[in-house]
Amino acid sequence: MHIQESHWSSSMASATAVATSGNGRDMGDGPRSTPLRVDAQRNLEHVLRAAREVFGELGYGAPMEDVARRARVGVGTVYRRFPSKDVLVRRIAEEETSRLTDQARSALGQEDEPWSALSRFLRTSVASGAGRLLPPQVLRVGVADEVAGAGDNEARVPQQRQAAPGGPELRLVEQRPAPAEESAADDPGAVALLEVVGRLVERARGAGELRPDVTVSDVLLVIATAAPSLPDAAQQAAASSRLLDILLEGLRSRPSV
């Protein structure tokens, strides 16, 4: 699976400000001063649902025209709500990151057994399809973090290993190197997700049920790759369940022989 990476540049930081410009009306992010009309609210919901579907299937590189077509609205309607693609991408990524965080917290609170909690989180997240919409910085913790964390037993930031030569490629948008300032540490939502998934990982590892070399980023990578996009819903659900079973077996520790 290819996970695309767009410009998560400094323009993203000002996207919200741009979104709320013009007559004081909200364009997709932040609080509104007045409620949306019924038809406008309905169009917004259609656009957001279509964006989740399109970006989930094609990645964040998909054009806004595809989102408009799926939502059955004109592309001008999409741009009235989201004046740039970056604003829409950020909205979707933030919502999906928040949803995964809630799912992880739920698993922590409802499962006493460490492996059951981790397994529940993975199954719920894969079934929701949210992993296909994770922002790139969640799936990529730089090599610098890995080196800096060497010898640090607390490992506050999960380490993301680079794909081995010849192995699966992780393409994180347009294959352009991410600016130094673009990291999970700059995104409060990403930080919250990494922290709560880290607790699931540490519990399972401490109970001897998770391989000691498995990181938080490995777990998130499972979520991102175990939900293939297939045209038939029943086939997709069956394929996801089967693939996740295999990946879970790979994550579990095995008694030494």
Side-chain angles (χ1 to χ4, degrees):
M1 172 181 176
H2 293 304
I3 302 170
Q4 295 182 324
E5 180 181 22
S6 62
H7 295 284
W8 291 73
S9 59
S10 58
S11 63
M12 293 293 290
S14 60
T16 302
V18 174
T20 55
S21 64
N23 299 326
R25 297 185 64 183
D26 176 63
M27 302 296 287
D29 280 341
R32 293 181 55 85
S33 57
T34 58
L36 285 171
R37 298 193 316 270
V38 173
D39 58 339
Q41 178 64 38
R42 182 168 56 247
N43 283 340
L44 174 60
E45 291 170 357
H46 289 168
V47 168
L48 289 173
R49 181 168 57 249
R52 291 186 192 98
E53 293 174 357
V54 170
F55 292 147
E57 294 168 10
L58 304 177
Y60 284 125
M64 293 281 266
E65 288 76 10
D66 284 3
V67 174
R69 193 175 303 113
R70 185 73 63 92
R72 297 185 177 182
V73 299
V75 71
T77 298
V78 179
Y79 277 108
R80 277 195 297 274
R81 301 300 309 147
F82 302 94
S84 76
K85 181 181 170 182
D86 281 346
V87 176
L88 178 57
V89 165
R90 180 168 183 162
R91 170 74 174 262
I92 297 299
E94 286 178 347
E95 288 183 353
E96 297 310 301
T97 299
S98 177
R99 192 200 320 190
L100 281 176
T101 303
D102 289 343
Q103 290 168 350
R105 286 174 176 151
S106 177
L108 272 172
Q110 297 182 23
E111 296 288 346
D112 294 329
E113 295 296 325
W115 177 257
S116 296
L118 180 60
S119 177
R120 176 189 177 125
F121 167 63
L122 285 167
R123 292 190 184 282
T124 303
S125 300
V126 169
S128 74
R132 291 194 296 267
L133 295 165
L134 281 170
Q137 68 266 27
V138 174
L139 292 170
R140 184 202 63 247
V141 175
V143 175
D145 291 326
E146 189 168 333
V147 173
D152 182 358
N153 293 328
E154 293 186 7
R156 296 183 181 85
V157 178
Q159 300 168 3
Q160 174 64 57
R161 294 188 295 277
Q162 303 299 311
E169 178 190 4
L170 294 183
R171 252 194 322 153
L172 308 178
V173 190
E174 297 181 6
Q175 303 183 43
R176 300 185 182 183
E181 70 273 16
E182 295 174 10
S183 69
D186 298 320
D187 182 345
V191 170
L193 174 62
L194 295 173
E195 189 276 331
V196 69
V197 176
R199 288 161 60 192
L200 284 167
V201 168
E202 288 302 320
R203 286 182 60 198
R205 185 186 293 129
E209 296 179 300
L210 183 69
R211 282 172 43 181
D213 62 325
V214 172
T215 67
V216 172
S217 293
D218 292 328
V219 171
L220 294 176
L221 192 58
V222 167
I223 296 171
T225 57
S229 180
L230 300 175
D232 181 77
Q235 183 182 9
Q236 176 173 316
S240 293
S241 178
R242 174 63 176 160
L243 179 56
L244 183 55
D245 285 342
I246 294 171
L247 292 173
L248 282 170
E249 283 301 306
L251 293 176
R252 295 201 76 160
S253 63
R254 290 287 177 267
S256 55
V257 180

